[in-house]
Amino acid sequence: MDMDIRFDCMGVDWQLVSDTLKRIGISYHKPGVQRKAFENSYAVVFVYRGGGPSGQMIGFGRAISDGAYQAAIYDVAVIPEYQRQGIGTEIVKQILARLPSCNVILYEAPGKEGFYGTLGLRKMKTAMALFRKAEIMQEKGFTD
Ligand SMILES: CC(C)(COP(=O)(O)OP(=O)(O)OC[C@H]1O[C@@H](n2cnc3c(N)ncnc32)[C@H](O)[C@@H]1OP(=O)(O)O)[C@@H](O)C(=O)NCCC(=O)NCCS
């Protein structure tokens, strides 16, 4: 497959980012909010099928970071038709390559653990979170 990997937010269809996150069942926001999150991130990766302006966006991911020693990965997604072809792995590898000196944390969706283990990440035993929608996150199985 002719794949084009981009590392900036130029020309991104934010409605499509929002729709994709919704479609694959992870939390999503309005296009303007998605844009703010990605534009304020330390590293972004967008994968397109085909190059140029006519390329189709098929996956993406991002990391926030201090650029020194701590980082967190969010919103890694591959559209269903292109899953299990190594694209998610490539997205995470490209993000990690941009965070060479950093510890990296993230959280997976309950019941979907497995993908990040293959990338060398290990389960944390002392993670704590302050979720703004605490009850929903508890219902979904993210917290005790
Ligand atoms: C999770 C996701 C980003 C992975 O992207 P991908 O391109 O499909 O992943 P890859 O093809 O690089 O998979 C690499 C390996 O990770 C593991 N893996 C991938 N998806 C998995 C899943 N849903 N469950 C368990 N293991 C998985 C497999 O071992 C896979 O290797 P294999 O296909 O040879 O068995 C993508 O499937 C996705 O967007 N899923 C929807 C959202 C989701 O499930 N998120 C979970 C993380 S929060």
Side-chain angles (χ1 to χ4, degrees):
M1 190 195 346
D2 178 18
M3 240 170 38
D4 186 15
I5 304 183
R6 303 181 196 166
F7 303 103
D8 61 52
C9 295
M10 293 242 298
V12 169
D13 179 344
W14 300 107
Q15 182 69 56
L16 183 56
V17 170
S18 176
D19 291 348
T20 300
L21 290 169
K22 182 177 182 184
R23 189 175 164 212
I24 65 172
I26 57 180
S27 77
Y28 64 97
H29 300 267
K30 290 178 188 161
V33 178
Q34 296 295 174
R35 176 181 184 161
K36 183 175 181 184
F38 277 79
E39 286 186 347
N40 286 337
S41 292
Y42 185 80
V44 299
V45 173
F46 292 93
V47 178
Y48 288 78
R49 184 183 177 175
S54 61
Q56 177 198 3
M57 187 171 67
I58 57 174
F60 49 79
R62 67 185 183 94
I64 56 174
S65 178
D66 52 27
Y69 50 90
Q70 301 294 0
I73 291 179
Y74 292 97
D75 297 336
V76 175
V78 175
I79 66 169
E81 294 82 353
Y82 292 93
Q83 289 179 7
R84 302 308 278 254
Q85 296 178 41
I87 296 167
T89 299
E90 185 61 25
I91 291 168
V92 177
K93 281 186 177 168
Q94 292 288 349
I95 293 172
L96 293 175
R98 281 153 183 77
L99 304 163
S101 60
C102 288
N103 295 322
V104 180
I105 60 169
L106 58 82
Y107 55 90
E108 298 189 279
K112 295 190 174 169
E113 298 91 346
F115 170 60
Y116 290 105
T118 65
L119 282 153
L121 283 85
R122 302 177 74 164
K123 271 203 181 302
M124 289 176 69
K125 290 187 175 175
T126 60
M128 302 287 285
L130 176 71
F131 288 119
R132 297 298 170 187
K133 293 181 178 169
E135 281 175 22
I136 293 174
M137 294 305 272
Q138 187 180 25
E139 275 166 27
K140 286 186 172 176
F142 283 96
T143 56
D144 290 341

